[in-house]
Amino acid sequence: MSDKNFVKDLADIDKDFSKWYTDIILKCNLADYSPVRGCMVIKPYGYAIWEQIQEYFDKRLKLLGVKNAYFPMFIPESFLLKEAEHVEGFAPEVAIVTKAGGEELTENLIVRPTSETIIGSMFSKWIKSYRDLPYKINQWCNVVRWEKTTRPFLRTSEFLWQEGHSVHLDEFDAKESTIQMFDEYIKLCKDLLAIPVLSGKKTEKEKFAGADETYSIEARMHDGKCLQSGTSHNLGQHFTKAFDIKYLSSEGIEKYAYSTSYGISTRLIGAIIMVHGDNRGLKLPPRVAPIQIMIIPIASHKPGVIEKCREIKEILLSNGFRVEIDESDNTPGFKFNECELQGIPLRLEIGPRDIENNLATAVRRDNLEKFTIGFDAIEQSVKLILDEIHNNMYNTALKQLNDSIIEVDNKKDLIKSVDNGKIALCHHCGEIDCEKALQEETSIKSRVIYDYDTSKPCAICGKKSKYRVYFGKQY
Amino acid sequence: MSDKNFVKDLADIDKDFSKWYTDIILKCNLADYSPVRGCMVIKPYGYAIWEQIQEYFDKRLKLLGVKNAYFPMFIPESFLLKEAEHVEGFAPEVAIVTKAGGEELTENLIVRPTSETIIGSMFSKWIKSYRDLPYKINQWCNVVRWEKTTRPFLRTSEFLWQEGHSVHLDEFDAKESTIQMFDEYIKLCKDLLAIPVLSGKKTEKEKFAGADETYSIEARMHDGKCLQSGTSHNLGQHFTKAFDIKYLSSEGIEKYAYSTSYGISTRLIGAIIMVHGDNRGLKLPPRVAPIQIMIIPIASHKPGVIEKCREIKEILLSNGFRVEIDESDNTPGFKFNECELQGIPLRLEIGPRDIENNLATAVRRDNLEKFTIGFDAIEQSVKLILDEIHNNMYNTALKQLNDSIIEVDNKKDLIKSVDNGKIALCHHCGEIDCEKALQEETSIKSRVIYDYDTSKPCAICGKKSKYRVYFGKQY
């Protein structure tokens, strides 16, 4: 395959973003379509990104006193029915086991779309006293939501996620914990994925089925649409009352506890692709890239070239970097393109002249800048460059996000802005019906609440406003 | 609760092993029963053991060039039917999704009991040339086998496991890989879990449904029964032919590939409990213990005691040990019992007199030996002691295993030995019917093949023997 064709094979990101996304998924071996409707296969390169996210966030959770556990994937149908809003939200999209072990089941089992109910039933058994609280649990697992239209990573019938569940003494503690995890998600996006987010509370219409409040982070994709990338729910007493989660207070009074839940999923991989990628391919943030540095030997048949490449690889490996050498038979030009397509943050070219000069030729994936790095103390130089790449990727995405926000004060401008790939910021009455009507007409939904300014009327219906909200199209 | 009652609450390991096992599971907070038939909840202390196993084995797999991926949990019913032995083996115990998204499915979906079929269907898409081989994949996931009788960790309707799948050029490569992973499992049991195993090939009757050969590791539990703890299957061309996994050889000839699969599960936690535990409780091997060292302050109200405990904790933590201080209000005696019940390998008691003498009083969980450790270079002493504990636990279990093996040459002695909690080693004809008849009469099954000595006739039927086999009862 010639170098030219190689890049041409990718759809143009600005002309056909949807095709570009699918091309990236398949050509970078991130995922593949499976024979099961709406379910994807996460291939090793895609899964390695998920492992980086898991490693980072699992450490954070443990530092915050959250312990991992595992709960059954099957939920008795009757459990889902116990919380009214919850069942309404999830019933239409569940998968149901009706037969097992060669027999019809007496009670159908729901494959978990989320685990508030099954975990709630266990919490009610385990929590007895105020001394048991706060109780903080997390599980890494698969969940199933039978979606009508699916896209790899963004929306699939089965996906992988982390779901945290905590139980608290009172409203205040539950709210504090909800916001703590929400802050963790903002930090994860910024520090690990180089993704800036709109962050805030969801409107009444958009909150989680069974929550008092939902806090969400929303990333802006290249085409201007938003992607809900993580949510933290203050569940109040919805589930503690439904599942009888009570404790004896220090005064000896029996009280219902308060609970929260929060989750991020493999959807974040979709966000990475759609926020950072360009016409050359994927562009991976260095801290999450399975391969951070690709070494490409130039004139590899010349004496000493492969040896030097291997020496540098060993130095970088032993300093904790994720590094590989492309020793394939392809031409350097092909390898450069492949490196860019795969989104590898930094490539090092090492040939006879470089060796003579005691340096490597380096190319950054983020801005394609070419420069040299001395072999001496190369691990220190590489550390600095990867951090620079991370910061530059974050700042570039932040500028794009900020540039895309437009303040509007009427429905016409709101619709026009969003149709032009912008995110509209405007006053809103907060009424479910007002938002529903807009969505039915335009498929525009609120993203998150920006602030509680009420100085102007609702941009959509003209009634008294409750807050200012971001509106946008979504994945 | 008095110290005396505390231990009394545990059933006697030699009088009621089954009750003892359940007591340990519940009292040590390893797992709990769930409202879903046959499904357990793995609680944080139990899950932390699984995380240690995952961490160890995931690293080993990556060193061997195996990459993690994720495949759909749902398998179209028709896929299971493609390999005749496989469907026969698994069909009776699958859970089936018949409805999803509010509709009856046109094709039922099986919740994976294992993933040879769904992964095979993807391999046939991905593997084209001899250059793609060997292809080595692993996934950490949940699987479902609807069992009639269940017990936490040992046999549950849903469990967690690791399933590796590899594709190879020829029979030789596939066999080599099967044995490599089998060896890894033996090593894992010895180096991480301090568990010696019987290891070898399964008889025709006992091999995996759809395999040419199954290699198994079998640990001996305290009551003399065996537990199949890990299996590595040489699948030959069963699945490559059923799923059309072909490659173009270097000579340009299209050939069917060969494949393998191998797995270990949360069942290993059951093995740890049942191999090492005693009447004082759980006894965790140090390398897999979530808490390796518990520091217990003595006269903690005296000045300097808590401070010294925290100082020692920090030193041990910073040296990579998993260590905690029991700062609860309970009496030291209660804490000692709790420490033993929870199976914590080493406890350090630190009181005013210890501080004066610049040392801690230490008690090993494995042999209850009491001794002192100087505070100077305590991290080095602790490292040595934990290694000694590991070795002692392994050697103790190895002696028990070896002592339990009895050579027999007739059916009567075979049955008598096994009924007395022994493992019988004898010649066997290898006929499925011969083994089946024994099992139906006595519930005794073959464990693994010991060697291919044919100097004596089959101990069961008297016909010509094919090999020598271990026989025993099993979980």
Side-chain angles (χ1 to χ4, degrees):
Chain A
M1 193 191 297
S2 87
D3 295 352
K4 231 177 171 176
N5 279 334
F6 195 76
V7 172
K8 251 208 233 150
D9 275 358
L10 212 56
D12 189 290
I13 193 169
D14 293 310
K15 289 185 187 146
D16 190 347
F17 187 57
S18 172
K19 171 82 163 51
W20 174 90
Y21 181 73
T22 309
D23 284 350
I24 293 285
I25 299 276
L26 297 176
K27 282 180 202 294
C28 294
N29 286 309
L30 294 168
D32 200 354
Y33 294 97
S34 87
V36 188
R37 188 199 151 286
C39 292
M40 67 177 162
V41 172
I42 308 180
K43 295 182 80 174
Y45 197 54
Y47 196 83
I49 298 174
W50 182 236
E51 287 183 305
Q52 293 298 329
I53 296 172
Q54 286 189 299
E55 196 184 318
Y56 167 93
F57 199 64
D58 199 68
K59 248 182 226 151
R60 291 296 311 166
L61 287 175
K62 281 172 178 155
L63 278 173
L64 298 170
V66 180
K67 292 184 173 181
N68 285 332
Y70 188 77
F71 296 83
M73 166 178 61
F74 295 134
I75 300 176
E77 204 167 25
S78 58
F79 279 38
L80 208 65
L81 302 172
K82 288 196 182 184
E83 209 291 321
E85 289 179 30
H86 194 66
V87 66
E88 199 184 321
F90 285 104
E93 56 185 40
V94 296
I96 306 176
V97 174
T98 60
K99 293 180 204 175
E103 288 170 16
E104 296 281 335
L105 295 174
T106 49
E107 178 175 7
N108 287 343
L109 295 172
I110 305 293
V111 184
R112 65 179 159 224
T114 178
S115 303
E116 278 75 9
T117 57
I118 185 83
I119 293 181
S121 79
M122 298 310 295
F123 279 164
S124 81
K125 211 175 144 182
W126 298 340
I127 290 163
K128 303 282 173 210
S129 148
Y130 71 95
R131 288 193 194 85
D132 300 327
L133 302 178
Y135 196 93
K136 302 177 188 175
I137 286 283
N138 176 65
Q139 75 177 354
W140 294 96
C141 65
N142 56 343
V143 284
V144 170
R145 298 177 186 178
W146 214 255
E147 303 274 3
K148 290 257 179 293
T149 48
T150 60
R151 303 194 73 186
F153 296 120
L154 301 183
R155 197 174 288 278
T156 47
S157 298
E158 181 191 8
F159 57 91
L160 302 181
W161 80 344
Q162 153 277 313
E163 54 177 319
H165 297 264
S166 67
V167 187
H168 301 270
L169 280 178
D170 57 32
E171 215 175 334
F172 178 80
D173 272 6
K175 176 139 187 168
E176 198 181 32
S177 177
T178 307
I179 288 173
Q180 181 185 45
M181 290 309 172
F182 170 58
D183 286 341
E184 283 296 326
Y185 288 159
I186 298 171
K187 194 172 141 62
L188 179 151
C189 285
K190 182 175 181 185
D191 292 352
L192 191 72
L193 313 181
I195 294 178
V197 289
L198 300 180
S199 59
K201 210 165 119 167
K202 284 276 185 191
T203 60
E204 270 304 293
K205 179 178 171 300
E206 288 299 310
K207 66 174 191 178
F208 177 76
D212 274 356
E213 309 177 290
T214 289
Y215 291 82
S216 174
I217 55 169
E218 309 264 330
R220 180 191 174 271
M221 306 297 105
H222 181 86
D223 63 348
K225 286 191 195 166
C226 291
L227 185 74
Q228 180 175 304
S229 304
T231 44
S232 183
H233 313 295
N234 182 356
L235 302 174
Q237 295 188 315
H238 288 243
F239 290 91
T240 57
K241 286 195 168 161
F243 287 90
D244 211 33
I245 305 170
K246 285 186 282 198
Y247 68 92
L248 217 56
S249 77
S250 57
E251 297 88 29
I253 301 162
E254 194 169 67
K255 292 183 173 182
Y256 280 110
Y258 289 75
S259 72
T260 82
S261 67
Y262 48 96
I264 48 170
S265 73
T266 37
R267 173 172 255 209
L268 285 175
I269 300 171
I272 295 170
I273 301 168
M274 290 185 142
V275 168
H276 297 302
D278 64 17
N279 268 330
R280 286 174 189 257
L282 192 60
K283 199 189 274 186
L284 291 176
R287 293 173 197 160
V288 87
I291 306 167
Q292 298 174 301
I293 305 138
M294 181 64 85
I295 300 175
I296 297 176
I298 308 294
S300 59
H301 56 285
K302 294 274 175 73
V305 170
I306 285 294
E307 289 72 12
K308 191 71 194 179
C309 290
R310 290 182 189 158
E311 184 196 321
I312 296 298
K313 180 185 167 185
E314 282 314 309
I315 291 172
L316 293 175
L317 264 185
S318 66
N319 279 279
F321 296 103
R322 298 185 289 276
V323 53
E324 287 190 8
I325 307 177
D326 186 345
E327 292 196 37
S328 71
D329 291 340
N330 298 315
T331 64
F334 182 92
K335 291 179 185 181
F336 298 163
N337 279 337
E338 182 70 16
C339 232
E340 288 172 2
L341 176 68
Q342 299 284 328
I344 294 159
L346 184 66
R347 81 171 184 255
L348 297 179
E349 306 166 12
I350 301 178
R353 195 175 306 167
D354 301 298
I355 295 170
E356 212 172 277
N357 295 328
N358 201 38
L359 48 77
T361 302
V363 180
R364 285 166 58 156
R365 175 64 182 91
D366 60 326
N367 57 12
L368 303 173
E369 201 184 297
K370 195 167 185 163
F371 53 102
T372 58
I373 308 183
F375 287 145
D376 301 328
I378 193 167
E379 70 281 6
Q380 292 169 32
S381 313
V382 163
K383 163 114 191 54
L384 286 173
I385 294 161
L386 291 182
D387 280 344
E388 257 187 56
I389 294 173
H390 175 89
N391 293 337
N392 181 47
M393 288 176 72
Y394 179 77
N395 290 328
T396 303
L398 182 62
K399 191 175 179 308
Q400 284 161 357
L401 175 64
N402 287 337
D403 287 352
S404 75
I405 297 169
I406 290 190
E407 285 198 62
V408 296
D409 61 8
N410 63 72
K411 189 173 156 188
K412 205 182 128 199
D413 286 352
L414 190 165
I415 296 170
K416 204 178 98 187
S417 309
V418 172
D419 280 347
N420 287 334
K422 302 290 182 183
I423 294 164
L425 175 61
C426 65
H427 285 81
H428 178 41
C429 62
E431 295 298 321
I432 293 179
D433 287 345
C434 169
E435 199 181 334
K436 211 182 236 170
L438 178 77
Q439 190 199 330
E440 276 162 12
E441 184 187 340
T442 63
S443 87
I444 297 170
K445 283 186 187 181
S446 70
R447 306 318 317 157
V448 292
I449 296 169
Y450 173 65
D451 68 9
Y452 290 84
D453 184 307
T454 57
S455 62
K456 288 187 185 176
C458 174
I460 302 161
C461 70
K463 283 189 197 150
K464 193 175 151 33
S465 74
K466 202 169 165 187
Y467 32 56
R468 288 200 292 176
V469 176
Y470 291 114
F471 280 91
K473 287 208 173 151
Q474 67 165 18
Y475 276 96
Chain B
M1 194 190 294
S2 86
D3 295 354
K4 229 175 172 178
N5 279 335
F6 195 75
V7 171
K8 252 208 229 149
D9 274 359
L10 212 56
D12 189 290
I13 193 169
D14 293 309
K15 289 185 188 146
D16 191 347
F17 188 57
S18 173
K19 170 80 164 51
W20 174 89
Y21 181 73
T22 309
D23 283 350
I24 293 286
I25 299 275
L26 298 177
K27 283 179 202 295
C28 295
N29 286 308
L30 294 168
D32 200 355
Y33 294 97
S34 86
V36 188
R37 188 198 150 288
C39 292
M40 67 177 161
V41 172
I42 308 180
K43 295 183 81 174
Y45 197 55
Y47 197 82
I49 298 174
W50 183 236
E51 287 183 306
Q52 293 298 329
I53 296 172
Q54 286 189 300
E55 195 184 318
Y56 167 94
F57 199 62
D58 199 68
K59 248 183 224 149
R60 293 296 312 165
L61 286 174
K62 281 172 178 154
L63 278 173
L64 296 170
V66 179
K67 291 183 173 180
N68 285 334
Y70 189 77
F71 295 83
M73 165 178 62
F74 296 133
I75 300 175
E77 203 167 25
S78 58
F79 279 38
L80 207 66
L81 303 171
K82 286 195 182 185
E83 209 291 324
E85 288 179 30
H86 193 65
V87 66
E88 199 184 321
F90 285 103
E93 57 184 42
V94 296
I96 307 176
V97 174
T98 60
K99 295 181 203 172
E103 287 169 15
E104 296 279 335
L105 294 175
T106 50
E107 179 175 6
N108 288 341
L109 295 171
I110 305 293
V111 183
R112 66 181 158 223
T114 177
S115 303
E116 279 74 11
T117 58
I118 185 82
I119 294 181
S121 80
M122 298 310 296
F123 281 163
S124 80
K125 212 175 143 182
W126 298 341
I127 290 161
K128 304 279 172 212
S129 147
Y130 70 97
R131 287 192 196 88
D132 300 326
L133 301 179
Y135 195 93
K136 301 177 189 175
I137 287 283
N138 177 64
Q139 75 178 353
W140 294 95
C141 65
N142 55 344
V143 285
V144 170
R145 298 178 186 177
W146 214 256
E147 303 274 2
K148 291 255 179 293
T149 48
T150 60
R151 302 194 72 186
F153 296 120
L154 300 182
R155 195 174 290 277
T156 47
S157 298
E158 181 190 9
F159 56 92
L160 302 181
W161 79 344
Q162 153 278 314
E163 54 176 320
H165 297 264
S166 67
V167 187
H168 301 270
L169 280 178
D170 56 33
E171 213 174 333
F172 177 81
D173 273 5
K175 176 139 188 168
E176 199 182 30
S177 178
T178 307
I179 288 173
Q180 182 186 43
M181 290 308 172
F182 170 59
D183 286 341
E184 283 295 328
Y185 288 159
I186 298 171
K187 195 172 139 61
L188 179 152
C189 285
K190 182 175 179 185
D191 293 351
L192 191 72
L193 312 182
I195 294 179
V197 289
L198 299 180
S199 60
K201 209 165 118 166
K202 284 275 185 191
T203 60
E204 271 303 294
K205 178 177 171 301
E206 289 299 311
K207 67 173 192 183
F208 177 76
D212 274 358
E213 308 177 291
T214 290
Y215 292 83
S216 174
I217 55 169
E218 310 263 330
R220 179 189 175 274
M221 306 298 102
H222 181 86
D223 63 349
K225 285 191 195 166
C226 292
L227 184 75
Q228 180 174 305
S229 305
T231 45
S232 183
H233 312 295
N234 181 355
L235 303 174
Q237 296 187 314
H238 288 245
F239 291 92
T240 58
K241 287 197 168 159
F243 287 89
D244 211 34
I245 306 170
K246 285 186 280 198
Y247 67 93
L248 218 57
S249 78
S250 57
E251 298 87 29
I253 300 162
E254 193 169 66
K255 291 182 173 182
Y256 280 109
Y258 290 75
S259 71
T260 82
S261 67
Y262 49 95
I264 48 170
S265 73
T266 37
R267 173 172 254 211
L268 285 175
I269 299 171
I272 294 170
I273 301 168
M274 291 184 140
V275 168
H276 297 303
D278 64 18
N279 268 330
R280 287 174 188 256
L282 192 59
K283 200 189 273 185
L284 291 176
R287 292 173 196 160
V288 88
I291 305 167
Q292 298 175 303
I293 304 140
M294 180 65 85
I295 300 175
I296 297 176
I298 307 295
S300 58
H301 57 285
K302 293 273 174 75
V305 170
I306 285 293
E307 289 72 14
K308 191 70 193 178
C309 289
R310 290 183 188 155
E311 182 196 321
I312 296 298
K313 179 184 169 187
E314 281 315 308
I315 292 172
L316 293 175
L317 264 185
S318 67
N319 279 279
F321 295 103
R322 299 184 287 277
V323 53
E324 286 189 10
I325 307 178
D326 186 344
E327 292 197 35
S328 70
D329 291 338
N330 299 315
T331 64
F334 182 92
K335 291 180 185 179
F336 299 163
N337 278 337
E338 181 70 16
C339 230
E340 287 172 3
L341 177 67
Q342 299 284 330
I344 295 160
L346 185 66
R347 82 170 185 256
L348 297 179
E349 306 165 11
I350 301 179
R353 195 175 305 166
D354 301 298
I355 296 171
E356 211 171 279
N357 295 329
N358 201 37
L359 48 76
T361 303
V363 180
R364 287 168 57 157
R365 174 66 182 90
D366 61 327
N367 58 14
L368 303 174
E369 202 184 295
K370 196 167 185 162
F371 52 102
T372 59
I373 309 181
F375 287 144
D376 301 329
I378 194 167
E379 70 282 6
Q380 292 169 33
S381 312
V382 164
K383 163 116 192 54
L384 286 174
I385 295 162
L386 291 182
D387 280 344
E388 255 185 59
I389 294 173
H390 175 91
N391 293 337
N392 182 47
M393 287 177 72
Y394 180 78
N395 289 330
T396 303
L398 182 62
K399 189 173 181 307
Q400 284 161 356
L401 175 64
N402 287 338
D403 287 352
S404 77
I405 297 168
I406 290 190
E407 284 197 62
V408 297
D409 61 8
N410 63 72
K411 190 173 153 188
K412 202 182 131 200
D413 286 351
L414 192 166
I415 296 169
K416 202 178 100 188
S417 308
V418 172
D419 281 346
N420 287 332
K422 302 289 182 182
I423 295 164
L425 175 61
C426 66
H427 285 83
H428 178 43
C429 62
E431 295 299 322
I432 293 179
D433 287 344
C434 170
E435 200 181 335
K436 211 182 238 172
L438 178 76
Q439 191 199 330
E440 277 162 11
E441 185 187 337
T442 64
S443 87
I444 297 170
K445 283 186 186 182
S446 70
R447 308 317 318 158
V448 293
I449 296 168
Y450 172 67
D451 69 8
Y452 290 84
D453 183 307
T454 57
S455 62
K456 289 186 184 175
C458 174
I460 303 161
C461 70
K463 284 190 196 148
K464 194 175 150 33
S465 75
K466 203 170 163 186
Y467 33 57
R468 287 200 292 177
V469 176
Y470 291 113
F471 281 90
K473 287 208 174 152
Q474 68 165 16
Y475 276 96

